[in-house]
Amino acid sequence: MTANTLVNSKLVCVALNDKAQLAALDATFNEAPYKKPPTQPVLYYKPRNTWSVDGAEVEWAKDFDGNDVAEMVVGASLGVVIGKETCRVSAEDALNYVAGYTIVGDFSLPEASYYRPDIKGKCLDTSAPVGPEIVAADKIANPDALTVTISVNGELKSTFELGNMERSVAELISIISRIMTLQAGEIIAVGFAGDRVAVAKGDKVEASIEGVGTLTNTLGGA
């Protein structure tokens, strides 16, 4: 069964879960208007129009006037596939609610502000490919020990060890399950490297996690 057929109603992404990114932004977070770093996971949704699959072309974004934008970026995350209704679970029990793991790509416009997120830039059609498949949870002994890499046209551009996440996979499931009830087939993209990778029209992007697979997509517009 391919990953896209298992997405059920929600694809939830966790922002600012890279310890290095949080440290780099510490001074910014302590300025007005908030004057402190986030105390809870920062979540955003990739709505249904963004969902796509391994091997699919990702549409190059257009601006409000219908012209091609100048640049796009990509991040990649481990995708945690929920296996059963998950509500107010403890971190100790959280992984028992996981059906499996996959890879989530997140193509978007460059992020200019975390206080006023660019909703349009995060909700582009076909911008969230998921795949290449679902790997059963019992095949991954420790999801926090995995590493996410991104290569563009065969050249390694990003490496993100999930051990460097601010909150672990189990912690995130527990916290999010107190914010919303998760249902079977819903996916949490648990964390992206703080530095997104710049991409150009026609680029071939490969997001890989050893033991989970490689998600391959090509940018359109060339």
Side-chain angles (χ1 to χ4, degrees), residues 95 101 135-146 210-212:
L95 295 184
Y101 300 97
V135 174
D138 61 5
K139 301 295 184 183
I140 304 296
N142 178 10
D144 297 306
L146 299 174
E210 186 175 356
V212 179

Side-chain angles (χ1 to χ4, degrees), residues 27-72:
T28 301
F29 288 140
N30 284 287
E31 296 173 353
Y34 297 105
K35 298 185 178 179
K36 64 179 181 179
T39 58
Q40 295 293 319
V42 178
L43 309 179
Y44 63 97
Y45 292 94
K46 298 292 283 190
R48 191 174 297 271
N49 69 291
T50 69
W51 300 354
S52 188
V53 297
D54 178 53
E57 182 177 275
V58 175
E59 295 179 24
W60 189 262
K62 295 185 179 297
D63 62 21
F64 288 105
D65 296 320
N67 301 312
D68 288 353
V69 299
E71 58 184 329
M72 290 179 66

Side-chain angles (χ1 to χ4, degrees), residues 78-120:
L78 176 70
V80 176
V81 184
I82 300 300
K84 55 187 176 181
E85 184 173 293
T86 304
C87 180
R88 303 187 67 82
V89 302
S90 68
E92 292 74 21
D93 290 337
L95 295 184
N96 294 326
Y97 290 78
V98 175
Y101 300 97
T102 189
I103 303 172
V104 177
D106 182 16
F107 292 82
S108 67
L109 303 184
E111 297 165 333
S113 172
Y114 291 102
Y115 297 119
R116 289 180 173 84
D118 180 4
I119 302 302
K120 182 178 185 295

Side-chain angles (χ1 to χ4, degrees), residues 146-158:
L146 299 174
T147 298
V148 184
T149 64
I150 298 175
S151 296
V152 179
N153 301 324
E155 182 179 350
L156 181 65
K157 294 290 187 180
S158 173

